[in-house]
Amino acid sequence: MMLGMCTTAYAKDESNVKQYNSIQEVLEENESMQDLILSDENLSRPAMAPLTSMQVMWVNSQDAGEEHISAGQYATKLDHGGDWFQVITLEVGFSSVRWAKFKHMEMESTDTEYVDLNGDNIMDGILRLWTINTSYTSGKFEYSAWSVQTSKEFSTWINVL
């Protein structure tokens, strides 16, 4: 299966703002994320390929709802805030050690899903759902990971308005 990337920001829908428990739930309940097709359980699991890239794919908050993030986008377009905040990151390749922070506060990795990016039934990377429950108005999300096999550090970030 393939993983597509949506590059459109969506305005908040007051009736549909919610905190998600899993990436699968995001896909099942959110039309704006339907282009993210995850791999199924029959994927082959080769030796872990080194991490080659990572990016922020999606952010979600109580005040703004969901927003897809384009590759190279350095700030959200929506005005996020509230009592909780979530991010989905994509790792192409695999990491051994990782951390995510929002406003210098550690975020919890609440779910992961393996992805097949080119339809060859081999795992190419991982989507990770990060969650923090704290009141905020804006801040910086930062994510760093160290590649398996090479110990090279990769990082990505986005300013959250």
Side-chain angles (χ1 to χ4, degrees):
M1 296 189 186
M2 300 289 288
L3 172 76
M5 294 181 205
C6 181
T7 58
T8 306
Y10 292 87
K12 178 181 176 184
D13 174 0
E14 295 283 344
S15 65
N16 199 24
V17 174
K18 68 176 280 185
Q19 187 173 9
Y20 292 93
N21 295 314
S22 70
I23 294 170
Q24 196 63 39
E25 185 182 2
V26 173
L27 297 176
E28 290 171 359
E29 295 186 15
N30 185 336
E31 270 184 53
S32 65
M33 294 287 285
Q34 290 298 314
D35 59 340
L36 286 180
I37 301 172
L38 299 178
S39 57
D40 52 37
E41 294 177 12
N42 297 325
L43 284 181
S44 102
R45 297 180 183 217
M48 296 289 195
L51 190 60
T52 58
S53 66
M54 60 194 313
Q55 75 179 73
V56 175
M57 301 284 296
W58 175 89
V59 298
N60 183 32
S61 71
Q62 183 178 20
D63 288 356
E66 302 172 33
E67 179 178 350
H68 293 272
I69 305 300
S70 301
Q73 184 177 335
Y74 295 105
T76 59
K77 296 175 183 173
L78 300 178
D79 187 13
H80 291 273
D83 293 330
W84 52 266
F85 177 66
Q86 294 184 297
V87 177
I88 292 178
T89 55
L90 169 66
E91 291 180 17
V92 179
F94 298 93
S95 65
S96 58
V97 177
R98 69 206 59 81
W99 58 260
K101 293 183 180 182
F102 180 63
K103 296 181 75 165
H104 305 287
M105 295 178 289
E106 297 238 0
M107 293 185 72
E108 180 183 359
S109 176
T110 52
D111 194 33
T112 58
E113 289 282 346
Y114 293 102
V115 294
D116 174 15
L117 298 173
N118 57 9
D120 62 0
N121 288 327
I122 297 174
M123 283 187 281
D124 298 311
I126 298 177
L127 288 172
R128 296 186 189 279
L129 176 64
W130 300 93
T131 302
I132 191 167
N133 292 301
T134 189
S135 293
Y136 74 98
T137 54
S138 64
K140 185 176 185 179
F141 169 79
E142 301 172 272
Y143 177 48
S144 287
W146 285 260
S147 178
V148 295
Q149 301 177 6
T150 67
S151 297
K152 182 178 177 183
E153 181 181 6
F154 287 77
S155 62
T156 189
W157 57 270
I158 191 161
N159 286 315
V160 179
L161 304 177

